[in-house]
Structures are given as structure tokens and as C-alpha cells.
């Protein structure tokens, strides 16, 4: 799932080298933290959060197939 999120987000941003995805697993739960350059945050979130919501939906569908609960959070990368 980490690779899928990294692929999707890096295609959306102007600075794909600044994208960092960290996945943590605890039993049947997966948390994915995505760090993005501040100037690319709007491209990943989208208008009214539609793009971020779509990314979360895709990843939750993959999680359902693997029988795990998934959460995805987006944050700005600190310089």
C-alpha cells in the first residue's frame, strides 16, 4: 500500500522527490503518513478535499481486500 500511495502522490505533485510515505502496521490496522512539500499540498488535497478523499478511498479498497483497516494522513514536509 505504501508503494501505491507514493506512486499516486508523486504523479500529482511538482516536486516528487519531496514525497515521503511512512507505513506503520499494528495487527489489523495500517496507518499511512504522507509528507509533501508545502507548495504541493493543494495539489494533493484538491478542491474541497476531493483528491485526498479519492486517494483514501482507493487505499481503503486495497485494505479491505487485505482485511485491514487503513487510515491515510497528509502533512507538509518540514524543511
Amino acid at each position: 500500500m505504501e508503494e501505491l500511495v507514493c506512486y499516486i502522490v508523486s504523479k500529482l505533485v511538482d516536486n516528487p522527490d519531496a514525497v515521503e510515505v511512512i507505513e506503520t502496521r499494528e495487527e489489523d490496522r495500517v496507518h499511512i503518513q504522507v509528507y509533501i512539500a508545502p507548495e504541493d499540498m493543494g495539489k494533493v488535497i484538491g478542491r474541497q478535499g476531493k483528491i485526498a478523499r479519492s486517494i483514501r478511498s482507493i487505499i481503503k479498497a486495497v485494505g479491505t481486500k487485505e482485511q485491514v483497516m487503513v487510515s491515510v494522513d497528509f502533512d507538509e514536509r518540514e524543511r
Side-chain angles (χ1 to χ4, degrees), residues 22 29-33 56 59-60 69-73:
I22 300 171
R29 295 183 185 272
V30 177
H31 178 74
I32 300 174
Q33 184 71 40
R56 288 183 179 113
I59 300 306
K60 284 183 182 182
M69 302 241 342
V70 182
S71 64
V72 181
D73 291 326

Side-chain angles (χ1 to χ4, degrees), residues 12-66:
L12 294 171
V13 298
D14 290 333
N15 190 2
D17 295 333
V19 175
E20 182 181 1
V21 180
I22 300 171
E23 179 180 308
T24 53
R25 290 180 177 256
E26 292 180 17
E27 297 178 20
D28 62 341
R29 295 183 185 272
V30 177
H31 178 74
I32 300 174
Q33 184 71 40
V34 183
Y35 294 100
I36 307 157
E39 60 271 8
D40 289 329
M41 187 59 94
K43 294 177 180 128
V44 174
I45 300 300
R47 290 182 186 238
Q48 298 177 349
K50 289 182 182 179
I51 295 174
R53 202 170 314 124
S54 298
I55 293 170
R56 288 183 179 113
S57 295
I58 292 168
I59 300 306
K60 284 183 182 182
V62 173
T64 301
K65 186 175 179 183
E66 295 181 11

Side-chain angles (χ1 to χ4, degrees), residues 6-18:
C6 188
Y7 178 80
I8 293 170
V9 172
S10 63
K11 296 299 178 181
L12 294 171
V13 298
D14 290 333
N15 190 2
D17 295 333

